[in-house]
Amino acid sequence: MVEITNAEAYMPAPGPGRASRSPAGGPTAQLSTRQSLLSASPASVPYSPVNQLTSGQPLAMTDNVISAGYMFSDFGGSRCLVNGTPSPAPIITRDYSGMDAEGNATGILSRTGLPAMMLVEPASDATIQLVLYNDALGDVATDGLIGLWLYADLSAKTSSVQHSLGITPSNNGDYNDDSYAVYFNANQVRHGWNFLVLTQKHLVGNMPAVEAIFPGLSFTKYGTGAGSELLDTTGNFLKTLFIDLENFAGCKLYFDSLWTGFSSKPQFCLGVDQLSSDGIDYVLPVFEEYGWVGYVAAPRRVVGNESKIIRDWTPDAAGDYAFCRTYYDAGWDIINHTANHYNLATETNPAAIRYEIEAAKSWYAQSGFVRGQEFYASPQSGTSILAEKVITNCGIKLQRHSLHSNVHITPFGIDNPASVGSIDIGNHGAGWQKFSAIKTWIDNIVLYGATGFPFWHTVTTLGDSGSGEDLTGDDLRITKSAFEKTMAYIRQLELAGTVNVTRGMTGFYYGA
């Protein structure tokens, strides 16, 4: 049984309905019945089957789901076929359930509860094309929105070449020169469950030849693209769907179901990964003005050449303690960012990974930072399948990394709590230091009805012209004007009722 351990200091602002989680005026003590239960003696209020999803995530996380949508196809039986005769042939297991005759779980179970999935095991990195024809799809009017539930077991991938999953919809049944394809690369398809979403942004006549929507998600138009047009009301029926798999040798891909008509209110969960005086001077005043709280990813220290085993655990022995206390007292979460702040993608010793999490927990606990302990952000966004497994087994409920920055909340929760994506605003190398670039990402989060996790390190006035478009020369610094313009734009969308701003990581996960 999972228990709430962190909500005693969490006092969410109710707002009118759920149009805003942080209305002007900041937090208020007025609580709904559900919020009262969350904030009263939380350690003694366990989740029950009534208020948690099958995945173990809180049911309240799905509060921003507007429409659960329509499942227009599953992958049971022979609905999905292999196009042509690839050599070597992939292994296809149809009607895979993940259970034995006695009801024991023997493998991956359907995320949506379906009795049958299709398991595909590519035998090489060569492209495999799967196809669903009209009789499997049923002439669906998707209006340019398709979601695919897929479990990707990448643990035995045999090649370091980046894998890619392409989806080509057809409104005429053909796979021809006049189409467009949507590609999800390794930034989108992670190990574990994935909910891959494509939203046609333009009529194909206005669609660029190539358009990147999020890191790892791009549209490519071939010819006129008219054969894939799904927005035009005269030809928006999905007749055939082609799925191309490339560079998946050694992987196991479990195809669950295809959806359309789903929607959720866009959200933003805001946090900082470095503690310094600029946060007190420039960040907290903005958040206090807007009635927001965020989260701090705080390591115990940044390790140098010394041993990674920490001896002095006195709270104020850490240079960042005072900054943490200031943020925490302002209502922010303090989330796990390891004991030593090094890249766990390079760590092969599971016990060493466990130490980074458990040692940090100890410091947070004796420092009095209990709110946010069950959440984690990876230093340098470095992670691995091994790290994610160990960290999950340490009781961490959500891990923030860099992959799949468009996080989708569905009636089944988020797809992959061990790999929640984000962008590092201020990281010029990744293209996120200018306000104009950040704004495009924000607009796409809104278009997709997703949740975005933008975070930053330090805010500087050096070299800041006030335009929000200046480069700082440091991937860990964003200009004050770019930061303020970003926050003001999110605030503008919030006041318009377009988006929610969650109350830290706690507000995102518990849905309050």
Side-chain angles (χ1 to χ4, degrees):
M1 182 171 288
V2 182
E3 293 187 341
I4 301 173
T5 59
N6 77 326
E8 63 268 26
Y10 176 59
M11 299 291 285
R18 289 188 61 82
S20 173
R21 289 180 184 162
S22 49
T28 172
Q30 180 184 357
L31 301 175
S32 68
T33 301
R34 176 175 62 77
Q35 292 165 344
S36 298
L37 288 172
L38 280 173
S39 60
S41 302
S44 63
V45 184
Y47 288 134
S48 72
V50 174
N51 59 21
Q52 79 174 15
L53 301 167
T54 304
S55 62
Q57 298 170 39
L59 178 63
M61 182 193 288
T62 66
D63 281 0
N64 78 321
V65 172
I66 298 169
S67 172
Y70 174 76
M71 186 187 73
F72 63 86
S73 184
D74 62 15
F75 287 85
S78 59
R79 289 178 180 83
C80 188
L81 304 175
V82 178
N83 210 10
T85 54
S87 180
I91 300 172
I92 306 290
T93 305
R94 300 191 180 279
D95 293 332
Y96 173 92
S97 71
M99 302 184 74
D100 63 21
E102 284 71 44
N104 302 306
T106 58
I108 303 302
L109 303 178
S110 167
R111 186 59 183 273
T112 63
L114 289 168
M117 294 188 290
M118 183 179 72
L119 168 59
V120 178
E121 300 176 71
S124 77
D125 279 336
T127 301
I128 300 166
Q129 186 172 83
L130 308 176
V131 59
L132 293 101
Y133 293 104
N134 177 253
D135 55 351
L137 302 174
D139 259 352
V140 176
T142 65
D143 294 321
L145 174 66
I146 297 173
L148 167 64
W149 274 105
L150 168 79
Y151 186 95
D153 182 347
L154 307 179
S155 58
K157 190 175 187 296
T158 59
S159 170
S160 60
V161 178
Q162 188 178 92
H163 54 268
S164 174
L165 185 151
I167 294 178
T168 301
S170 172
N171 58 32
N172 57 25
D174 294 332
Y175 189 85
N176 56 39
D177 293 337
D178 290 319
S179 63
Y180 67 79
V182 185
Y183 295 103
F184 302 88
N185 73 14
N187 190 291
Q188 288 277 316
V189 183
R190 308 95 87 207
H191 177 77
W193 276 109
N194 295 269
F195 187 57
L196 304 177
V197 176
L198 68 91
T199 294
Q200 188 179 332
K201 188 174 180 178
H202 319 275
L203 291 170
V204 293
N206 301 321
M207 185 182 292
V210 177
E211 182 176 31
I213 304 297
F214 298 108
L217 192 165
S218 61
F219 283 74
T220 299
K221 184 170 68 171
Y222 301 99
T224 67
S228 292
E229 174 66 82
L230 298 176
L231 286 179
D232 184 349
T233 56
T234 63
N236 65 351
F237 287 101
L238 180 61
K239 299 285 188 181
T240 311
L241 192 72
F242 300 91
I243 302 173
D244 291 307
L245 309 174
E246 186 174 359
N247 296 319
F248 279 104
C251 302
K252 296 181 179 180
L253 304 174
Y254 302 78
F255 288 84
D256 183 301
S257 50
L258 288 159
W259 293 72
T260 192
F262 51 88
S263 62
S264 294
K265 189 169 185 179
Q267 299 182 122
F268 292 93
C269 182
L270 309 171
V272 60
D273 276 27
Q274 188 166 323
L275 294 159
S276 52
S277 59
D278 65 276
I280 310 303
D281 295 338
Y282 305 140
V283 173
L284 278 180
V286 171
F287 275 61
E288 289 170 357
E289 176 186 351
Y290 295 163
W292 294 349
V293 296
Y295 67 88
V296 175
R300 172 62 175 79
R301 67 176 184 183
V302 177
V303 71
N305 295 324
E306 69 269 33
S307 167
K308 292 188 178 71
I309 303 302
I310 299 172
R311 297 183 182 277
D312 188 353
W313 288 99
T314 308
D316 58 8
D320 289 335
Y321 171 79
F323 291 125
C324 283
R325 173 55 61 192
T326 299
Y327 278 108
Y328 193 82
D329 289 347
W332 290 49
D333 297 334
I334 306 295
I335 75 170
N336 200 308
H337 203 39
T338 73
N340 287 295
H341 196 271
Y342 72 100
N343 191 334
L344 293 185
T346 64
E347 183 57 72
T348 59
N349 180 352
I353 297 171
R354 179 177 179 273
Y355 176 78
E356 291 299 312
I357 303 304
E358 297 299 342
K361 283 183 185 178
S362 173
W363 176 60
Y364 301 140
Q366 66 176 322
S367 299
F369 305 140
V370 296
R371 186 179 57 246
Q373 275 202 40
E374 64 268 58
F375 310 121
Y376 166 82
S378 53
Q380 304 166 57
S381 293
T383 187
S384 67
I385 294 173
L386 174 64
E388 290 170 14
K389 178 180 179 180
V390 172
I391 292 168
T392 297
N393 288 340
C394 288
I396 297 293
K397 293 178 171 58
L398 181 149
Q399 300 178 44
R400 193 210 74 197
H401 308 301
S402 62
L403 303 183
H404 203 112
S405 68
N406 48 309
V407 180
H408 296 277
I409 298 184
T410 77
F412 310 100
I414 56 174
D415 58 359
N416 197 335
S419 185
V420 170
S422 61
I423 66 164
D424 180 357
I425 61 174
N427 189 324
H428 171 61
W432 303 119
Q433 203 164 83
K434 296 183 177 182
F435 168 66
S436 56
I438 302 168
K439 180 180 180 297
T440 297
W441 176 81
I442 289 171
D443 289 341
N444 284 330
I445 288 287
V446 173
L447 173 70
Y448 270 65
T451 297
F453 286 75
F455 68 96
W456 60 95
H457 287 84
T458 59
V459 178
T460 183
T461 59
L462 294 176
D464 186 356
S465 68
S467 67
E469 300 298 306
D470 303 296
L471 302 180
T472 65
D474 186 336
D475 280 348
L476 299 182
R477 293 177 183 269
I478 186 171
T479 62
K480 181 172 180 283
S481 65
F483 173 81
E484 291 180 345
K485 285 176 180 290
T486 296
M487 298 304 139
Y489 186 56
I490 293 173
R491 178 59 169 169
Q492 175 186 334
L493 295 172
E494 182 190 36
L495 290 174
T498 303
V499 307
N500 288 330
V501 176
T502 72
R503 296 189 60 78
M505 202 75 84
T506 299
F508 169 77
Y509 188 79
Y510 293 110

